[in-house]
Amino acid sequence: MERSLVIVPNADMYFFPSFKSDHVTIAQLFSGKPGRLFNSMRRLFPHLAQYRYGSWKDCLDCYDRIVVMDVPALIDSSLFSFLRSKAGSADIAIYSWNMDLSSSQIRLLKESAERYSCGIYSYDEAFCSEHGFSFNTIMFDAGLKCPIVPLVFDAVYVGLSKNRLDAVEHAANVLVQAGLKLDFTVIGGRSTDNEGSCINYSTSYVPYQEYLHRIYRGKAIVDIAQQGQLGYSMRVMESIFYDKKLITTNPHVADAAFFEYGNVLILDDCTSPSEIEEFMSRPTVAYGDEVRQYYSVEAWVDRFN
């Protein structure tokens, strides 16, 4: 079976630290966290970046495919030149799961893809159509399992405000009207007194492992999509791999094959509290292995061709 390398900005994010596979390696671009002096120096002399690359740089010739996430592709202008000189005939792809790229960043990614003969992909089909990227889904670690813990909350949401604060607050209000007990935290956003609100506003980043412990205790995961977003977020993946109900504002989820399991409620302006009550009262149907396999990291890398 082919071996693949995925280069990420931070190997401590999401499920990356615990991911294990015989065929896929997830590695951090730089070894440790480069300081300001190094970052300033490599802007003047881009080739210096290779001296802080992780150990992945020493075995590039053993990979058949290399996937570079958008952040490493953007912050290191010498990366693709290095990969092409060391990785032999390996296929190289750029993958973006970021909806907030500027026009200059999009242009830079496309120029790198053309210059170094790389595929260029996004998780969002609308973004692909607009900017000429190819589509690939988001992914998750099929090895992660939800432990058996008491369910404390009906619905859990933790996320950055990202100009969707009004949508988060609307969702929270409707869910409260339906009688749900919420665990809602927004990073950023309201700075005034929010006493009595059903949402906790925080300025502190919530580590992913802490976030997982919170969704373990929830019956449903809430997913608030950004404006115009079609691609599935990590919240969607978590609901599938942990057999949780999903309440989402992304209508595109209704087009997915897993929607037929009945574990997803599309939340919009017309959703009534009674609809939410009925949805939450139904038992959660366990997802089949074929669904998880499709969104596994291994299947995801195989779709870069």
Side-chain angles (χ1 to χ4, degrees):
M1 183 177 288
E2 293 185 334
R3 295 193 62 195
S4 298
L5 170 68
V6 182
I7 300 177
V8 301
N10 185 346
D12 291 328
M13 295 172 60
Y14 301 114
F15 56 82
F16 300 158
S18 60
F19 178 76
K20 296 179 181 179
S21 171
D22 293 333
H23 309 293
V24 181
T25 300
I26 296 178
Q28 185 168 299
L29 174 64
F30 293 123
S31 176
K33 185 177 181 180
R36 291 184 178 179
L37 177 59
F38 175 77
N39 287 331
S40 298
M41 291 295 293
R42 69 181 179 84
R43 291 189 187 98
L44 296 173
F45 308 101
H47 70 279
L48 292 178
Q50 64 185 277
Y51 296 104
R52 285 299 302 271
Y53 287 160
S55 58
W56 56 264
K57 72 178 186 295
D58 299 321
C59 53
L60 285 174
D61 58 352
C62 69
Y63 293 108
D64 304 288
R65 181 184 295 108
I66 300 171
V67 180
V68 182
M69 305 299 279
D70 51 11
V71 172
L74 290 168
I75 67 175
D76 182 7
S77 61
S78 65
L79 176 58
F80 292 103
S81 176
F82 179 84
L83 292 176
R84 275 295 173 218
S85 68
K86 302 293 185 181
S89 60
D91 293 328
I92 301 177
I94 301 170
Y95 179 77
S96 176
W97 58 7
N98 188 350
M99 288 285 293
D100 299 323
L101 294 177
S102 66
S103 57
S104 61
Q105 289 174 323
I106 294 170
R107 183 172 61 252
L108 181 59
L109 291 178
K110 294 177 75 171
E111 289 174 352
S112 295
E114 182 176 0
R115 181 176 181 182
Y116 295 102
S117 300
C118 306
I120 186 165
Y121 295 78
S122 169
Y123 82 112
D124 188 277
E125 292 178 271
F127 186 94
C128 290
S129 297
E130 182 177 356
H131 300 292
F133 285 41
S134 298
F135 173 72
N136 197 357
T137 67
I138 198 170
M139 72 304 194
F140 205 71
D141 181 4
L144 286 180
K145 306 297 181 184
C146 181
I148 300 176
V149 296
L151 297 179
V152 179
F153 297 97
D154 293 309
V156 178
Y157 174 83
V158 179
L160 299 172
S161 57
K162 283 190 176 180
N163 299 317
R164 55 188 170 190
L165 192 53
D166 289 343
V168 174
E169 292 178 338
H170 171 74
N173 290 333
V174 172
L175 296 179
V176 167
Q177 291 174 31
L180 273 59
K181 183 179 181 182
L182 306 185
D183 178 9
F184 265 48
T185 296
V186 174
I187 314 302
R190 303 285 186 237
S191 58
T192 56
D193 181 23
N194 295 290
E195 185 176 352
S197 172
C198 56
I199 301 175
N200 174 43
Y201 298 91
S202 174
T203 57
S204 301
Y205 171 75
V206 177
Y208 192 64
Q209 290 303 312
E210 177 184 332
Y211 163 74
L212 287 182
H213 286 298
R214 292 170 70 168
I215 66 171
Y216 291 158
R217 299 181 301 162
K219 187 175 181 180
I221 297 172
V222 177
D223 171 48
I224 308 296
Q226 297 182 64
Q227 184 68 35
Q229 177 183 337
L230 298 184
Y232 306 152
S233 71
M234 196 63 74
R235 309 292 86 82
V236 178
M237 296 296 99
E238 291 154 359
S239 70
I240 292 173
F241 283 82
Y242 295 142
D243 283 328
K244 298 286 185 179
K245 287 181 178 291
L246 176 69
I247 300 172
T248 179
T249 61
N250 185 347
H252 193 55
V253 175
D255 299 329
F258 62 80
F259 186 78
E260 296 179 1
Y261 279 77
N263 296 330
V264 181
L265 175 68
I266 305 299
L267 187 69
D268 57 30
D269 292 339
C270 297
T271 306
S272 67
S274 60
E275 289 178 90
I276 297 170
E277 290 179 45
E278 191 276 330
F279 170 72
M280 294 298 294
S281 68
R282 298 200 308 259
T284 303
V285 179
Y287 286 105
D289 290 339
E290 70 280 1
V291 178
R292 295 189 180 92
Q293 175 56 34
Y294 180 76
Y295 290 106
S296 69
V297 174
E298 289 83 359
W300 171 75
V301 296
D302 285 345
R303 287 194 285 272
F304 291 101
N305 51 47

